[in-house]
Amino acid sequence: MPGIHYDIAHMLGAVVLLLSFALLYQRRLFAIIQAFAAQSMVLAAAAAWQGYIQDAPHLYITALLALSMKAIAIPVALHRVIDRLNIRRTVDTALGVGPTMIAGVSLVTLSILLVLPVTADVTALTREDLALALSVVLLGLLTMITRRNAIGQVVGFMSLENGLILAAIGVEGMPLIVEMLVAFAVMVAFIIFGIFFFHIRERFDTLDLHNLESFRGERR
């Protein structure tokens, strides 16, 4: 594989990871959604590039799905949910910015230490793609854990799924059906989340999980 192919693929994967840190850093809902849309757009570019260098046309479909659904449709839907439910634009977090970023860097280090030793027999690009993908998955989980707002947690879940897609496109020979099933599962989850948003907002007049705990008697 020419060096330029490797460099561009590696750069796109690294940008997806950097945008996971942007998600962790943001404290405003619109900024979180914009960071997620940007991450999905770069993911679409990564899938298209992998389709080119692997000569795998089905990855262009993955790129098109990521661009249309995750970079455009879902962010637009989340903006409409926020406007319609008149949700508070700032997000309370369980940790401050400093501890959150330190935890994120620790998870990336853990991913590298876990993936590289067990993938010694595959190509360097695949090894690094899998390490980057696992890092994105773990940072998505961290985003879900540290956000007290339901929409922030949904965006964390979607970012986690971006990590799974990044792993799938980095492995040569991954069938399209696997990527389609992952995308379909995320769409179903998003629809279910949307239904819960409206029911929770209608019942409790908030989507802030910190406040919802008071209704359950877990906080005094």
Side-chain angles (χ1 to χ4, degrees), residues 27-30 82 85-93 148-149 151 201 205-211:
R27 294 294 183 270
R28 297 185 63 81
L29 276 180
F30 285 155
I82 293 171
L85 298 183
N86 194 25
I87 298 170
R88 191 160 61 96
R89 268 48 172 180
T90 57
V91 178
D92 292 332
T93 58
R148 293 189 180 279
N149 180 280
I151 289 184
R201 180 65 168 77
D205 199 33
T206 181
L207 286 182
D208 190 326
L209 300 182
H210 182 75
N211 294 332

Side-chain angles (χ1 to χ4, degrees), residues 42 67 157:
V42 177
L67 181 65
F157 174 78

Side-chain angles (χ1 to χ4, degrees), residues 42-87:
V42 177
L43 178 69
W49 183 250
Q50 290 284 356
Y52 169 69
I53 63 178
Q54 294 181 24
D55 193 22
H58 71 273
L59 289 180
Y60 295 120
I61 299 175
T62 302
L64 182 62
L65 288 173
L67 181 65
S68 60
M69 291 169 54
K70 306 190 74 177
I72 299 175
I74 290 178
V76 169
L78 287 175
H79 277 287
R80 289 186 177 178
V81 167
I82 293 171
D83 289 337
R84 182 168 179 180
L85 298 183
N86 194 25
I87 298 170

